[in-house]
């Protein structure tokens, strides 16, 4: 299928469904057939990304590579990974892929610029693995943004705790700790708070106050598909 | 991946994302890894099912078979199709599949019984193709239920019209005509109104008044997966 995008998902599954919903909502469509063709590998039996980065537990890479190969075998022409922490292994995935792998941080950089957020400091709410693994800092720096991250204790007590509640389906309980972490970043003068974990936008969904990395990646997919179908074979 | 369910979706795409969300919500899970592994073919470039049944326009079967083969190639151990009208071609799909294809009407029959709706008349809101193609009537009859369908004019002006609005993303506009159709069925004494089109539960989502076929299929998938992982290899 021309322009079919392979989605390496399941990390977590609810974030994957949310990502699909955002691709659909962002697509100008009047009927089913106008929508972006997706093949979605939502197989959550992948070792924990954050624990692997932080504690050296079992690597999720073999499971992710297996999913990637399944998607490539179906004829996917581009790959999106709606999980920020998984981008710690971006180079391994891109190296194995025969088609482009969209980078979620580049998608966030593009989305920040489109929303009129110029250069300067932006806050980052993400898993401890994504924060300490430096997934955002250097790559967002290339787009002209400096990342401000929570203090270690806030990361643990507010962000990691909140993400765990989302993964357990306790969305309402997750709101207060995640909002508190965002407020602390704003007190440091950031121009926008980036939700750099695809679980967090399930709870914090005010587009004026937050830049949702899931939505940014969905925007990038719609743009990629639109370019692809316009291009001659 | 053991127990991976292939989802032949995209008909429409929003219904597919809704189906995934319902599988997740119905799964008893504390962490990502407890969730049902899904590989989701959400490729909406499939000829219109209802028009093909009613008017003999291009058949969606070749596109559906291509999707089915892609899912089987990935190692899916069971297939679910979150589109009622697509079940008009159920025998063709099941005949081509090397693994079980869950039937959405059987899932609805099971769900009606679990909700305490005994034998008797139930109302059906579905596409004109599903209604006139008889997808529900005989098969639900085997479960002990008699289907009451809208009058032709209501089918056209209320149900088909409402489904079209959902597919165009106009969810709020779709509510009034769909509710009016349901009310007319209730006036005929049905014991429950079955939402036999996966677009309709995106708008009518009161579980006490409606039996949602998307949710019924999601329940069946969770049950199938639970049985599968308990079974020795």
């Amino acid at each position: 299928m021309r322009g079919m995008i392979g989605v390496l998902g399941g990390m977590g599954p609810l974030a994957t469904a949310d990502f699909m919903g955002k691709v659909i909502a962002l697509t100008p469509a009047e009927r089913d057939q106008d929508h972006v063709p997706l093949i979605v590998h939502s197989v959550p039996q992948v070792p924990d990304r954050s624990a692997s980065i932080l504690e050296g537990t079992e690597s999720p890479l073999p499971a992710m590579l297996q999913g990637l190969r399944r998607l490539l075998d179906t004829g996917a022409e581009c790959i999106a990974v709606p999980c920020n922490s998984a981008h710690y292994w971006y180079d391994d995935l891109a190296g194995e892929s025969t088609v482009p792998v969209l980078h979620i941080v580049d998608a966030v950089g593009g989305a920040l610029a489109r929303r009129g957020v110029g250069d300067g400091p932006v806050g980052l709410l993400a898993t401890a693995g994504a924060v300490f693994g430096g997934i955002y800092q250097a790559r967002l720096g290339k787009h002209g943004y400096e990342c401000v991250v929570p203090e270690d204790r806030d990361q643990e007590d507010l962000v990691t705790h909140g993400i765990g509640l989302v993964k357990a389906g306790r969305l309402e309980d997750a709101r207060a700790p995640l909002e508190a972490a965002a407020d602390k970043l704003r007190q440091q003068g950031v121009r926008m708070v980036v939700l750099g974990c695809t679980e967090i936008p399930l709870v914090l969904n005010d587009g004026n106050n937050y830049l949702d990395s899931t939505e940014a990646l969905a925007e990038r997919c719609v743009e990629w598909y639109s370019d692809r179908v316009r291009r001659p074979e």
Side-chain angles (χ1 to χ4, degrees), chain A:
Chain A
M1 174 52 58
R2 185 170 176 181
M4 186 166 75
I5 298 178
V7 179
L8 186 58
M11 305 176 280
L14 202 54
T16 302
D18 180 50
F19 171 74
M20 288 178 72
K22 284 172 178 161
V23 170
I24 296 162
L26 291 167
T27 304
E30 277 294 314
R31 49 187 203 124
D32 286 357
Q33 291 79 2
D34 299 332
H35 281 278
V36 179
L38 301 175
I39 176 102
V40 183
H41 190 265
S42 186
V43 175
Q45 286 72 25
V46 178
D48 188 273
R49 284 67 63 195
S50 201
S52 178
I53 296 169
L54 293 173
E55 300 155 32
T57 55
E58 185 184 358
S59 171
L61 184 60
M64 288 197 286
L65 287 173
Q66 186 180 48
L68 174 70
R69 286 186 206 107
R70 283 192 188 125
L71 291 172
L72 294 173
D73 285 347
T74 65
E77 296 189 353
C78 164
I79 300 291
V81 188
C83 170
N84 287 275
S85 305
H87 283 72
Y88 186 77
W89 293 270
Y90 176 82
D91 290 344
D92 301 286
L93 293 169
E96 188 77 10
S97 181
T98 50
V99 303
V101 181
L102 305 177
H103 198 299
I104 199 166
V105 178
D106 292 340
V108 165
L112 282 168
R114 271 196 301 280
R115 280 159 183 70
V117 180
D119 300 2
V122 295
L124 178 66
L125 294 187
T127 63
V131 169
F132 295 115
I135 292 168
Y136 266 82
Q137 289 89 326
R139 199 151 184 136
L140 210 53
K142 288 186 195 162
H143 291 263
Y145 300 98
E146 178 205 340
C147 273
V148 180
V149 301
E151 290 175 21
D152 288 4
R153 183 162 193 164
D154 292 339
Q155 176 66 42
E156 175 77 21
D157 295 349
L158 301 175
V159 187
T160 302
H161 177 59
I163 293 169
L165 290 170
V166 177
K167 285 189 182 287
R170 295 171 56 190
L171 271 63
E172 274 313 307
D173 297 336
R175 183 179 303 277
L178 293 170
E179 276 183 347
D183 287 342
K184 289 198 172 192
L185 291 174
R186 283 203 199 89
Q187 285 161 17
Q188 296 181 59
V190 301
R191 305 189 56 187
M192 179 61 86
V193 174
V194 172
L195 306 181
C197 168
T198 51
E199 310 290 340
I200 302 176
L202 299 168
V203 174
L204 304 184
N205 44 24
D206 170 0
N208 292 321
N209 283 319
Y210 301 107
L211 193 293
D212 169 357
S213 59
T214 306
E215 189 171 21
L217 185 63
E219 279 179 13
R220 182 71 190 92
C221 285
V222 173
E223 178 190 53
W224 183 90
Y225 178 68
S226 170
D227 290 348
R228 175 70 187 88
V229 293
R230 279 203 215 101
R231 207 165 63 216
E233 285 295 332

